[in-house]
Amino acid sequence: MSDGHSDGMDLEALRDGVRAVLTEQASHEKVAAFTNAEGVRDEPLWSQAAELGWLALSADEAHGGLGLGSSELAIVYEELGRALAPLPVLGTMLVVEALARGGDAAQQAAWTPRLAAGELAGAVSMLTPGDRTTRLTLSAGADGGVTLDGVAADLLDGAAADILLLLAREGEGLSWVLVEPALDGVVVEKVATVDRTRRLGEVRFDRLALPAGRVLMGDAGQIADALLAHAALALASDARGGANAVFEITLDYLKTREQFGKPIGSFQALKHRCADHKIALVASGALVAEAVARMASGDPAAGRYALAAKALATEVYARVAQDAVQLHGGIGYTWEHPCHLYLKRAKLNEQLFGGPAAYLDRVTDLLLAAA
């Protein structure tokens, strides 16, 4: 992730703008209120994000987008993580990317403008490194259409989505298929998670008939690899933003909370703990930045860096958030304090699209293959 300018936008101006909106519209109080409600996304904030063009950043200009890339997207993901914003941005951006890579002209024209405008939110099948298992099957249907059977579980943003992009087995191969939850017979059920700023979904299909043109024609494996790299970089950026935010909150607390007549942050043992966290944050942030820069430049090794960044940044986030609760001396896990929200988001980030071990194994395989 560059700290300078991309070809199309001043990145720091973008960061300042996104942060200013989220500071006002996604304060800790508003996020906490959302987690206690039954909504699946913050509708007013979603509308504002669409009006400001956040959802159009990566979409092609021919379809109402801004045609920008990873550097801009990473800024938005990082600020959303910093604010704990309850928005289904990642699922929507993944559908936009899949359409760009594997959709035909008609599919892109039908779906991308509506996704870029925020009229639709998207969700995709949960991929993991090196695993293309799916419980969905696709077969030929009537009038050139297809028929879908099976279960799609753990759909990130699935409960908030208006369009699902699902990986299904078709004969001996795999295909990506577009499904509207609004179709008769389709019900997406919310899946409870520890992180209540986001919602997973599960949907079951019993010979659901879909019209022609719902299957992406691009190579399913290549699309899956691209989506996994995108998701990894997004979660790494989200983790970078969240980890820095909860660390700053904790430092402020250590400067003001007193024991024995002194701020507890002046105690050597706590200074050392904070120094260790700062070193980890700088190291993981540098790896995320490198992964973003390689993705933005089209480096063939960018996917490997994205996977490594996800593994490290989410692990550091979880560690910092866990210790933030400890350093707050118990108040960090009350409903009124944001520390527990950061910890829960950090723990889910670690597991979304595969846990750390799967990422490290895949990075090792890719390094060996490249040697």
Side-chain angles (χ1 to χ4, degrees), residues 349-367:
N349 274 359
E350 271 195 307
Q351 300 306 319
L352 286 174
F353 293 86
Y359 278 78
L360 295 177
D361 287 346
R362 184 60 179 159
V363 171
T364 301
D365 291 341
L366 293 172
L367 285 171

Side-chain angles (χ1 to χ4, degrees), residues 275-319:
D276 288 343
H277 290 318
K278 183 62 178 177
I279 291 169
L281 288 170
V282 170
S284 63
L287 182 55
V288 175
E290 181 70 15
V292 171
R294 287 176 180 268
M295 191 72 76
S297 68
D299 188 326
R304 187 173 76 219
Y305 278 83
L307 301 184
K310 196 268 188 185
L312 180 61
T314 59
E315 188 274 331
V316 168
Y317 185 14
R319 182 152 35 99

Side-chain angles (χ1 to χ4, degrees), residues 80 82 170 181 262-263 290 310 371:
L80 292 173
R82 182 181 180 88
E170 185 176 21
K262 297 191 297 185
E290 181 70 15
K310 196 268 188 185

Side-chain angles (χ1 to χ4, degrees), residues 205-274:
F205 301 101
D206 182 13
R207 296 197 59 75
L208 177 71
L210 295 169
R214 294 306 181 97
V215 179
L216 301 191
M217 292 295 105
D219 184 278
Q222 291 179 7
I223 294 172
D225 288 341
L227 295 186
L228 184 62
H230 183 139
L233 208 54
L235 292 168
S237 299
D238 186 286
R240 186 187 193 191
N244 280 306
V246 75
F247 184 64
E248 292 165 12
I249 291 171
T250 304
L251 287 184
D252 287 342
Y253 176 75
L254 296 180
K255 292 174 184 175
T256 56
R257 173 76 165 89
E258 292 190 356
Q259 281 188 340
F260 310 113
K262 297 191 297 185
I264 60 175
S266 65
F267 300 151
Q268 190 173 46
L270 299 190
K271 285 182 178 178
H272 287 180
R273 282 165 69 173
C274 291

Side-chain angles (χ1 to χ4, degrees), residues 29-284:
E29 292 76 15
K30 290 184 177 180
V31 172
F34 175 85
T35 64
N36 292 323
E38 294 300 319
V40 293
R41 68 188 186 206
D42 185 327
E43 294 293 350
L45 183 55
W46 178 258
S47 296
Q48 191 163 7
E51 291 172 4
L52 293 170
W54 299 355
L55 307 174
L57 280 177
S58 63
D60 192 276
E61 292 174 276
H63 299 298
L66 299 175
L68 299 173
S70 300
S71 298
E72 292 80 7
L73 269 182
I75 294 287
V76 173
Y77 287 134
E78 185 176 339
E79 293 304 315
L80 292 173
R82 182 181 180 88
L84 300 166
L87 293 180
V89 174
L90 176 53
T92 303
M93 294 297 97
L94 289 176
V95 178
V96 169
E97 171 143 11
L99 285 165
R101 290 181 177 273
D104 61 24
Q107 290 167 332
Q108 292 181 21
W111 302 105
T112 303
R114 301 180 68 193
L115 290 160
E119 295 175 13
L120 302 176
V124 303
S125 292
M126 190 75 74
L127 302 161
T128 58
D131 183 3
R132 295 292 177 264
T133 302
T134 174
R135 296 164 64 189
L136 293 175
T137 58
L138 196 65
S139 56
D143 302 324
V146 293
T147 300
L148 191 61
D149 271 299
V151 179
D154 296 336
L155 293 167
L156 175 63
D157 300 333
D162 306 293
I163 184 72
L164 308 175
L165 180 65
L166 306 174
L167 185 64
R169 184 156 297 284
E170 185 176 21
E172 296 300 317
L174 293 168
S175 293
W176 288 95
V177 57
L178 292 160
V179 182
E180 294 169 272
L183 292 174
D184 287 342
V186 179
V187 177
V188 181
E189 297 182 351
K190 288 191 289 188
V191 177
T193 64
V194 65
D195 174 18
R196 299 179 68 178
T197 64
R198 292 174 291 192
R199 299 285 192 268
L200 301 187
E202 177 177 305
V203 59
R204 297 175 181 273
F205 301 101
D206 182 13
R207 296 197 59 75
L208 177 71
L210 295 169
R214 294 306 181 97
V215 179
L216 301 191
M217 292 295 105
D219 184 278
Q222 291 179 7
I223 294 172
D225 288 341
L227 295 186
L228 184 62
H230 183 139
L233 208 54
L235 292 168
S237 299
D238 186 286
R240 186 187 193 191
N244 280 306
V246 75
F247 184 64
E248 292 165 12
I249 291 171
T250 304
L251 287 184
D252 287 342
Y253 176 75
L254 296 180
K255 292 174 184 175
T256 56
R257 173 76 165 89
E258 292 190 356
Q259 281 188 340
F260 310 113
K262 297 191 297 185
I264 60 175
S266 65
F267 300 151
Q268 190 173 46
L270 299 190
K271 285 182 178 178
H272 287 180
R273 282 165 69 173
C274 291
D276 288 343
H277 290 318
K278 183 62 178 177
I279 291 169
L281 288 170
V282 170
S284 63

